[in-house]
Amino acid sequence: MGSYYINRTFFFDVHPPLGKMLIGLAGYLSGYDGTFPFQKPGDRYEQHNYMGMRGFCAFLGSCLVPFAYLTVLELSKSLPAALLTACILIFDTGCITLSQYILLDPILMFFLMGAVLSMVKCNACADRPFSASWWFWLSLTGVNLAGAMGVKFVGLFVVLLVGLNTIYDLWDLLGNLSLSLVMFGKHLLARVLCLILLPLALYTAVFAVHFTVLNKSGPGDGFFSSAFQSQLIGNNLHNVSIPEHLAYGSVITMKNLRMAGGYLHSHWHLYPEGVGARQQQVTAYLHKDLNNLWIIKKPDSDADLSDPSSPVEFVRHGDIIRLEHKETSRNLHSHQHEAPLTRKHFQVTGYGINGTGDSNDFWRIEVVGRKPGKLIKVLRSQVRLTHVATGCILGSSGKTLPKWGWEQVEVTCTPYLKDTPNSLWNFEDHINPKLPNISLDVLKPSFAEILLESHMVMIRGNSGLKPKDNEVTSKPWHWPINYQGLRFSGVNETDYRVYLLGNPVVWWLNLFTIGLYLLTAISTAVALKRGVQLSSELKELSRVVLRGGGQIALGWLLHYLPFFMMGRVLYFHHYFPAMLFSSMLTGITWDTLLKFFAGFLSPSTAARRVYGGGILALVLLIMYSFYLFHPLSYGMIGPMASDPSSPMAGLRWMDSWEF
């Protein structure tokens, strides 16, 4: 996708474009020419300069350590807590692996951690509002929110975290009676400006650059509307002139509005024995083809509409029409036989001889949002075809037919009357020599329409993601326990084999600490509620646990729990943003607990030894586990870990690990 930006070729992806744009920019500035195919992992780069893109992602991944360090330092005011957090991230094999490849994840996590750090720094300036540093951190929070959202939609979770923090702050300010309502209004406006309007403007600007740069036809064209495709250089709709309004006798193609729904298509092949009526197949086809052409005719007229002397009659909303397939002269037809794949839907076929069929060939054409009698526009009008005899609606199910259907997309007639993209169509090609042509520039969609369409396509694509053959997917409950990793490269004993798996000691320590934090926070909250007298030091520790740790724990919950409600395919790498929060929580929790236990020891030297020894023991444990597992990130050679002669022998602590 970085190559597509360098070549200005339009493509489709389920994520917003900022991450790919930055990778493309890094490649362009470092001399990469955009010609490497990136077909499968392990392909040799040969003369292609990939180091700029790898280095860019690695640099952003490296920034996670200082960002986490500074965030914990600000929340806990404890250098050992910040150092422990930094060590956890430095020596985590998973973070290293994700950061050393050309991936979106390090870019997403860079902006995410940048937003959290900026939010925490802005909170620290609460005693000097509207100062230069306060404005700087508030604005930087907004910039990072736009960045996180611009890379992947999961950036919404950090937007939610910052939003909840802002609501808490404003509610706190509202209760401050020494603050006038005018000053409160200024606080509110500042946050609206920096945390809503600024991110929205930057996010929109990313898409403006995206659509400006990618101005050539490419593999993503078919996912978008015909009107949008007409703006792409090299597309067959670019700079063409066609009649604007549909008329009887016109030769047309119909494109389904479902993402990858295809063009209404038929061919000489019949449905096989046992699949509905043995009539001509009607499918949806994703490519341009002569078999996509249909002629619009009146239901009961055999007049020669191609005669130049015959008057032009326009098709109107609510008309009953017949669609005759141009290549085979059979009519679009439906009946109460079951569709090939989709149960309770009706079969759609090609029927009749030379346009002569029966009453099951009649369809009512209706335009969404238009009044009866209105003309139908090519490209812009969204239409549905209702079968007159059965009342069902023509649609593309999105399901792929078996080999007898040439693996094209199933077309059905659905009795369930809902306006979904599956059952909506638009007219793309339009040939009628009796009508004046207009340039498609007249139909050019506005930037707002393109922006809305791209988001609809992305959201639909995201929710429809399904695992590919032999692909390793996982469930959210697998992630915190480090249940299963992902093979990144290497297929034999002589290749460097990289396996995405978190440092087990780090991940299990993080998981244990989440439970420990909950117990600590509940105990602290109960003690404060019961009015237990605490020393000034313990009061400060309780503030760190409840306020600082609470913000980080909320961040972990927001970046983890939503995945349990998602219907799309999920992977192990989706947990890494949440893992950053659990690592920071580990640093804060252990630092606080060690200080608490050290406080019970009377000689200050003994207290310091317990506290320092505890932090040092954790750091050494993490470093030693990294020493054991670092080949996961930097490449394993030799037999699998189950072989006693393997360098990784004895380290396969869970049967689900595959290295």
Side-chain angles (χ1 to χ4, degrees), residues 383-403:
V383 305
R384 61 176 167 259
L385 292 180
T386 304
H387 191 238
V388 175
T390 63
C392 62
I393 296 176
L394 185 74
S396 166
S397 70
K399 297 176 182 176
T400 304
L401 292 168
K403 287 187 178 177

Side-chain angles (χ1 to χ4, degrees), residues 253-462:
T253 60
M254 283 175 61
K255 187 174 189 296
N256 190 255
L257 297 189
R258 174 194 173 93
M259 187 189 69
Y263 295 91
L264 187 66
H265 176 97
S266 188
H267 39 237
W268 286 106
H269 302 277
L270 306 181
Y271 285 101
E273 200 72 49
V275 180
R278 202 160 193 274
Q279 297 172 7
Q280 187 168 293
Q281 294 177 18
V282 172
T283 64
Y285 191 46
L286 295 173
H287 304 281
K288 312 278 186 179
D289 190 273
L290 287 175
N291 280 322
N292 300 343
L293 296 173
W294 300 80
I295 305 168
I296 297 190
K297 294 193 171 183
K298 290 196 166 187
D300 50 2
S301 171
D302 292 322
D304 184 10
L305 296 171
S306 61
D307 182 0
S309 62
S310 63
V312 172
E313 193 172 342
F314 289 106
V315 182
R316 297 178 183 273
H317 170 83
D319 282 5
I320 293 175
I321 63 166
R322 178 164 52 89
L323 282 175
E324 184 183 310
H325 190 240
K326 190 170 187 299
E327 292 295 304
T328 64
S329 298
R330 285 185 171 151
N331 297 326
L332 185 71
H333 176 99
S334 186
H335 44 223
Q336 291 187 340
H337 289 270
E338 194 168 75
L341 302 179
T342 308
R343 294 184 62 196
K344 298 184 179 176
H345 285 208
F346 299 145
Q347 183 188 32
V348 178
T349 67
Y351 179 74
I353 299 170
N354 292 327
T356 303
D358 61 22
S359 59
N360 279 331
D361 303 340
F362 301 159
W363 302 82
R364 181 181 293 104
I365 187 166
E366 298 165 321
V367 184
V368 176
R370 301 294 295 276
K371 293 179 181 176
K374 291 290 185 181
L375 297 182
I376 297 169
K377 288 185 177 181
V378 176
L379 294 180
R380 300 305 291 275
S381 292
Q382 297 183 359
V383 305
R384 61 176 167 259
L385 292 180
T386 304
H387 191 238
V388 175
T390 63
C392 62
I393 296 176
L394 185 74
S396 166
S397 70
K399 297 176 182 176
T400 304
L401 292 168
K403 287 187 178 177
W404 58 254
W406 307 96
E407 296 181 343
Q408 294 174 9
V409 179
E410 180 193 38
V411 167
T412 70
C413 199
T414 170
Y416 307 107
L417 311 179
K418 290 190 293 185
D419 278 342
T420 66
N422 301 43
S423 60
L424 295 177
W425 305 78
N426 73 311
F427 296 98
E428 189 168 286
D429 297 289
H430 184 208
I431 304 161
N432 193 324
K434 293 190 286 186
L435 292 175
N437 291 342
I438 62 158
S439 169
L440 288 188
D441 284 343
V442 176
L443 307 176
K444 180 180 179 181
S446 66
F447 174 69
E449 288 175 313
I450 294 172
L451 188 66
L452 179 63
E453 180 183 357
S454 66
H455 279 77
M456 293 299 292
V457 171
M458 282 190 290
I459 291 166
R460 218 178 296 149
N462 239 314

